[in-house]
Every structure is written in C-alpha cells, then in structure tokens.
C-alpha cells in the first residue's frame, strides 16, 4: 500500500524537488517513509529555523522552491522566522509539517505539540493548506506551487494530520505547470514609446529582475541601472551599472535627473530606498513599473503598470526598441564616484570594509557571498559591485533576521555545488545559529565561514551612540572561535581585516572557518 506520506514525496519529485531540509520527529515519520529510494537528498539541520534558512538559500541560488520538513507545533514555530525572511525577500519556500489528528484539532486536549490553530497562525504570514484526506493531496500541492510560482514568490505551508499521513493514497492527478505571466502587448507598445522619447532614462532593478536580460535592455536604452541589494551582480563590471543603494543622495540625484524611470521587479522597500528615513521613495514622475505582483504595482503611483514576468517583459521591450547611444555610462560613473565620496563621509570604516569585499571578490571570482546583519554587509549593501548575478544576498534588508547566513550559505552550496560559497557573519549573529556550521562539515560543502569579530553587536552599538543613548546589551562575549571550529570539525584561521591577509587565506577550499579579528 502506498501511503499519503509516500505519495507526497512522489508529488515533490514530480515537481522537480531534489533536496529537502528537515528534522524528523514522531509526527512526521510517515512523511519520511517516502524519502527512501525517492532520489531526494535529505539534509539534517540542527534547528528548524536553520532548515528554513537552508531552504531559502537553496531557492535563491537554484531558482526553484526550497523545501523543509518540520514537526507539528514547535518545529513549525521555529521555522516561522525563516518563512518571514523569505516572505520579505520574495523567496519561494515550501514548509511541510505535521499537525495533530483531525478529531483533536481545536479541542485543547493537551496533545503533544498542540497549538490552538496551527494553520491560522501561519496564515497571518502566508498561505496554508491542510491535507484533510488522500483525495486532496494533489490539490494542496498544486495550490502550494501555484502560490509560490504563479505570482510574487514567497513561503507556503502544507500541513498533514497524523491520522492522514498513513492512509492509503489515491491515484495522482496531472502536475499543474505554471506558465510565465506574459505582458500585455499594448502596454509594451506604450512603454517602448515612452522610453524611446526619453533622453535620460534610468532603470531601477530589484530582486525580481534577476532572470531578465537587464544588460541588453540597458544597452539598448543607454540607461544606467540602479541595482538594489537582491539585484547586485546583474550588471557586474558594466559601464552602465550603478551598484549603489538608492538610499544614497548620489543615487537619488541620478533618479531625480532622469526623464524616464523604468522600475523592474522592485518593491521600493525602505531598507533599499530609504534606510535613513529621510522621506520615502525618490520622486519618479511618469514611472513605468514592471512587476509580477498586482498588489506591489498598486502600492506606489506610476504612469504605466505592467503586470508580467520580468524576463518576458524585458524581451518584449527589447523587440520594440532601437539601440541608441548617449551619456548613460558617464552618468553611471559619476554616480558611483559621488556615492563613494558620500560613503567616506558617512563612516571612516565603510571604505575599508568595501575594499575588503572587493578583495574577496577578486581573490575568488564568481563566488556566492551570503551575508548576515554585520558591518561589512551593511557597507556592501550601500556600495559594492559583485561579479555574479544572484551571488550577493543577505538578511540585512527587509525582515533582517540575525543568524540567517550559515543556513542560507549551506542551501546555496547545495544548489551550486561547483561554486565557492562564503558566509559573512558577525560574532554576535553567529551565536544565533552556530550549530549549523557542523552541517557544512558533515556534508563536506564548499562553504567558508568568515566571522567578523568585533566582540559584540558593533552596528547596534554605533547606532545607539549616534542616538546619544547609553550603549547597553551590545557586548555579548564572543565564542572562542578556534575551539568552536575544532568542535565543528572545521579548519581554522585568524586574520586581521586586511585585504592581503584575506587573499592569502580564502583561496584554500572549504569548509573552513576564518576569524576576522577586529579587537
């Protein structure tokens, strides 16, 4: 007899799932029965939050949904933080959990792992579907994948009652395939005409533009491309690239001087566009917006809104535009130079931190850098040109979950096994999820953990000083990183925050831990 749990695994395989992150429990044994012989690789994190972060990193690098198996109750609540980070950054993540038997739900019987209403708790964040019987399993899977892939990506939850998991499965139905959302041709004609009339166009590219041919579109328009954090790498080394935050005055001036803004796959979130809380999104009269999400299009005024897959929209515009030349590269270069001067005025440390990131990039070209909320990551988010599209991402924007980077780096390494992966995290953030480093050693993954050790929460301490507030609670004692690395079976090195020392150390393959000691 094939059970519902086994059929669920088959349904994941049919939808292209190759890796699952999870910690088994008594409530998910029947879900695990189907993994044997399925071809799906199972990775065991040390905490369910780590499972979610691993699924997140895997999804960002592979372009496919990351999948996590968690137990009823605490397993799911532990994963909620990772699901919220995925929600903020539009990352497709499927979290599959158990739930207590159907007759007990909502009864307050004191069952193991019981919640008053598990699905209602999750629905405050994202869609949740319950497999109420064998006959609805395929429907739940189709609904989940449609929610992740049919519009703005994000997390989705499926729960399977313990009394349903072991039931006999019914015959599977056809897998629903989600086609890309194609743009309206009339709207593309209007957009192309508006862009053709512009003398000083600018493109604003967000994470939703990563699969689009932004380079070709920029060249056709001779338009500088301002890249938010999740779009870095799209224009690596290109003269039209502006790898600087639109929160900076220099970048805002470029946008304000433009006579046509084309925004693609960007939500205009404050952590990208107004991190200093100085007055919201830069004024963009006559803006053209392309986004997969109708709600996002409705949140900011524009002259022309195109709801479509970014890649399809870019291809459609390219077919309608005649290439031209102008001063786009000069405008981009001037903006980057002005942004660098602005950064130097903001902090005496940031230019050195950005130079450190550049040394990392140049020493190991094409690497993936996964960041936590730590000082060099904040600096890089303001001004840093990475050399791999989708190869620079972190939790220092949007939801901002500390401890994100170790799990996400592990997920990234599994999605791109031939790439070098660097996890850049502070000594404080590392203590949120230290045990996940053992997974990298266990799975022999090419992840180098770079621990920026300033003996505390340096970024928060600086913010408290800037606010004329006594610095309290910002000096947790760091881990003894050499002993910790040994406990995780990781080679260890300690260096100063110097680009030359970094180059000599990181060319060695991972997994390993490198402490960058500032104090």
């Amino acid at each position: 007899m094939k059970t519902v749990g086994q059929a669920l695994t088959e349904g994941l395989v049919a939808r292209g799932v190759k890796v699952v992150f999870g910690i088994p429990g008594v409530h998910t044994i029947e879900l695990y029965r189907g993994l044997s012989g399925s071809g799906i690789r199972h990775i065991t994190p040390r905490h369910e939050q780590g499972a979610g972060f691993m699924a997140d990193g895997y999804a960002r690098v592979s372009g496919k949904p990351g999948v996590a198996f968690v137990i009823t109750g605490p397993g799911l609540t532990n994963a909620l933080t990772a699901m919220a980070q995925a929600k903020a950054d539009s990352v497709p993540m499927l979290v599959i959990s158990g739930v207590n038997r159907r007759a007990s739900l909502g009864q307050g019987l004191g069952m193991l792992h019981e919640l008053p209403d598990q699905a209602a708790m999750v629905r405050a964040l994202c869609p949740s579907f319950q497999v109420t019987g064998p006959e609805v399993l395929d429907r739940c899977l189709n609904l989940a994948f449609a929610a992740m892939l049919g519009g703005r990506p994000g997390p989705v939850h499926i729960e399977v009652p313990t009394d349903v998991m072991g039931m006999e499965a019914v015959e599977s139905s056809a897998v629903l395939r989600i086609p890309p959302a194609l743009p309206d041709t009339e709207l593309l004609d209007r957009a192309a005409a508006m862009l053709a009339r512009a003398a000083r166009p600018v493109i604003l590219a967000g994470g939703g533009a990563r699969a689009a041919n932004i380079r070709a579109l920029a060249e056709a328009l001779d338009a500088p491309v301002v890249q938010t954090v999740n779009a870095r790498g799209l224009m690596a080394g290109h003269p039209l690239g502006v790898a600087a935050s639109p929160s900076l005055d220099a970048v805002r001036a470029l946008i304000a001087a433009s006579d046509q803004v084309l925004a693609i796959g960007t939500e205009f979130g404050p952590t990208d566009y107004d991190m200093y809380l100085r007055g919201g999104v830069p004024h963009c009269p006559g803006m053209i917006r392309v986004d997969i999400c109708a709600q996002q299009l409705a949140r900011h005024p524009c002259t022309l809104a195109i709801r479509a897959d970014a890649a399809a929209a870019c291809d459609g515009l390219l077919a309608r535009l005649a290439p031209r030349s102008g001063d786009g590269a000069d405008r981009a270069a001037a903006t980057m130079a002005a942004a660098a001067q602005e950064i130097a005025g903001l902090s005496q440390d940031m230019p050195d931190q950005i130079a450190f990131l550049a040394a990392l990039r140049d020493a190991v070209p094409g690497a993936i850098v996964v960041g936590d909320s730590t000082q060099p990551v904040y600096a890089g988010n303001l001004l840093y040109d990475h050399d791999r599209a989708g190869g620079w991402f972190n939790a220092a924007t949007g939801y901002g979950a500390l401890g994100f980077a170790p799990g996400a780096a592990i997920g990234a390494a599994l999605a791109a096994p031939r790439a070098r992966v660097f996890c850049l995290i502070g000594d404080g953030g590392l203590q949120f999820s230290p045990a996940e480093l053992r997974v990298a050693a266990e799975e022999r993954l090419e992840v180098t953990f770079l621990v920026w050790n300033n003996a505390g929460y340096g970024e928060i301490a600086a913010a408290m000083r800037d606010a004329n507030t006594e610095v309290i609670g910002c000096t947790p004692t760091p881990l003894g990183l050499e002993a910790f690395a040994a406990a995780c079976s990781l080679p260890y090195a300690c260096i100063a925050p110097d680009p030359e020392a970094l180059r000599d150390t990181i060319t060695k393959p991972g997994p390993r831990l490198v402490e960058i000691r500032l104090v």
Side-chain angles (χ1 to χ4, degrees), residues 113-127:
H113 303 328
E114 184 178 56
L115 285 166
D117 191 337
Q118 180 173 281
M121 176 189 70
V122 178
R123 286 192 191 104
L125 175 66
C126 68

Side-chain angles (χ1 to χ4, degrees), residues 215-216 218-219 223 227 234-242 332 385:
R215 282 181 173 240
E219 291 166 356
Q227 301 143 78
L234 288 179
M235 298 291 292
H238 197 288
L240 290 170
V242 178
D385 190 16

Side-chain angles (χ1 to χ4, degrees), residues 18-302:
K18 299 185 183 301
V19 180
V20 164
F21 306 93
I23 301 174
V26 295
H27 281 181
T28 54
I29 289 173
E30 287 299 329
L31 294 183
Y32 275 77
R33 188 187 301 279
L35 286 177
S36 178
S38 68
I40 291 179
R41 182 176 181 180
H42 183 272
I43 303 295
T44 306
R46 300 306 188 256
H47 190 281
E48 288 92 355
Q49 186 177 103
F53 288 149
M54 290 177 192
D56 181 305
Y58 181 88
R60 293 188 199 230
V61 173
S62 71
K64 300 176 181 178
V67 181
F69 279 5
V70 300
I71 63 166
T72 306
L76 183 59
T77 54
N78 283 342
L80 279 175
T81 294
M83 295 168 73
Q85 184 72 51
K87 174 75 170 180
D89 286 347
S90 302
V91 177
M93 176 193 297
L94 177 58
V95 175
I96 300 174
S97 79
V99 71
N100 286 312
R101 64 177 189 265
R102 291 168 295 175
S104 74
L105 299 180
Q107 299 301 308
L109 301 176
M111 304 285 289
L112 179 66
H113 303 328
E114 184 178 56
L115 285 166
D117 191 337
Q118 180 173 281
M121 176 189 70
V122 178
R123 286 192 191 104
L125 175 66
C126 68
S128 177
F129 305 105
Q130 186 183 103
V131 181
T132 55
E135 70 283 354
V136 302
L137 173 61
D138 280 342
R139 185 192 313 160
C140 289
L141 285 170
N142 282 335
L143 286 168
F145 277 79
M148 288 188 292
L149 304 176
R152 182 188 181 188
V156 179
H157 171 237
I158 292 178
E159 63 179 16
V160 189
T162 54
D163 60 322
V164 174
M165 290 182 195
M167 288 183 175
E168 184 173 1
V170 299
E171 185 177 351
S172 297
S173 59
V175 173
L176 176 67
R177 301 298 180 189
I178 310 296
L182 299 179
D184 181 281
T185 56
E186 183 178 340
L187 294 179
L188 285 179
D189 290 341
R190 289 177 56 192
M194 292 168 66
L195 291 164
R197 291 193 296 269
R200 300 180 308 282
V202 166
I203 298 172
L204 307 181
R210 281 186 295 187
N213 195 351
I214 296 295
R215 282 181 173 240
L217 184 60
E219 291 166 356
L221 291 169
D222 188 48
V225 181
V226 177
Q227 301 143 78
T228 66
V229 170
N230 284 326
R232 296 291 172 83
L234 288 179
M235 298 291 292
H238 197 288
L240 290 170
V242 178
S245 170
S247 291
L248 295 173
D249 287 337
V251 182
R252 289 183 165 212
L254 171 72
I255 297 169
S258 168
D259 59 355
Q260 184 62 68
V261 172
L262 171 61
I264 304 175
T266 179
E267 68 173 355
F268 291 99
T271 51
D272 275 314
Y273 287 86
D274 193 29
M275 67 176 295
Y276 299 112
L277 302 177
R278 295 178 300 186
V281 177
H283 186 50
C284 303
M287 179 169 58
I288 303 167
R289 284 196 73 189
V290 176
D291 203 284
I292 194 68
C293 178
Q295 287 84 0
Q296 284 294 353
L297 290 171
R299 287 184 180 124
H300 296 283
C302 64

